[in-house]
């Protein structure tokens, strides 16, 4: 569970990678390197939201120390919980927010955001409720 009152974001296209449709399907970690940033992403679950054109995607991201995530947006809301480490979350038009293990966050649909892990890296669980058929994350141009 996570509290949806702390504003911020983290996992970029952390879950933009495809996942199986099974409600409890576990997938092997997917190491992704973008420049000097290394993020290991694992999709934990993906399922439809009944009566809507949305789906829920739950995933885990392990970010190496002092790494930038990359500015991006989502076609839906994101909420998450910091399991380990620390990070700074940045949402356009809002003050930066430092999050530590045990704290949670939420991001409005379409909000451009970025994140930077702390000196010991960070591990986050994120939940997205997004439009089906659209990419989970897209790079933010502004």
């Amino acid at each position: 569970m996570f509290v949806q009152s702390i504003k911020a974001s983290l996992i970029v296209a952390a879950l933009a990678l495809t996942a199986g449709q099974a409600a409890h399907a576990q997938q092997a970690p997917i190491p992704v390197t973008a420049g000097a940033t290394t993020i290991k992403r694992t999709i934990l679950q993906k399922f439809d939201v009944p009566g809507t054109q949305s789906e829920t995607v739950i995933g885990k991201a392990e970010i190496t120390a002092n790494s930038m995530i990359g500015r991006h947006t989502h076609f839906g809301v994101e909420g998450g919980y910091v399991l380990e480490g620390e990070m700074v979350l940045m949402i356009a038009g809002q003050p930066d927010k430092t999050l530590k293990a045990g704290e949670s966050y939420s991001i409005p649909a379409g909000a451009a955001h970025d994140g930077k892990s702390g000196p010991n890296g960070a591990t986050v669980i994120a939940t997205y409720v997004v439009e089906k058929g659209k990419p989970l994350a897209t790079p933010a141009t502004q």
Side-chain angles (χ1 to χ4, degrees):
M1 245 193 263
F2 59 84
V3 179
Q4 294 186 348
S5 63
I6 300 175
K7 297 178 182 175
S9 162
L10 172 47
I11 318 178
V12 215
L15 305 172
L17 306 168
T18 58
Q21 292 295 325
H24 297 287
Q26 293 285 326
Q27 292 194 352
I30 304 166
V32 178
T33 302
T37 302
T38 301
I39 303 170
K40 183 168 73 174
R41 300 173 173 104
T42 306
I43 294 181
L44 304 173
Q45 203 173 72
K46 184 176 179 180
F47 52 91
D48 291 344
V49 177
T52 72
Q53 292 299 313
S54 297
E55 64 184 348
T56 300
V57 181
I58 303 170
K60 177 179 176 182
E62 298 168 85
I63 304 113
T64 59
N66 300 310
S67 295
M68 293 297 295
I69 301 300
R71 192 169 160 85
H72 63 284
T73 62
H74 303 285
F75 289 100
V77 297
E78 174 186 353
Y81 180 82
V82 180
L83 291 171
E84 298 176 335
E86 178 179 307
M87 62 181 308
V88 176
L89 298 175
M90 300 154 270
I91 299 176
Q94 298 182 19
D96 294 353
K97 176 80 175 175
T98 300
L99 297 171
K100 298 180 181 182
E103 295 183 315
S104 60
Y105 62 89
S106 65
I107 307 295
H113 55 283
D114 200 348
K116 182 178 187 211
S117 61
N120 295 315
T123 301
V124 177
I125 296 290
T127 300
Y128 303 86
V129 180
V130 294
E131 294 179 46
K132 286 178 70 172
K134 294 199 176 178
L136 183 62
T138 57
T141 56
Q142 298 178 15

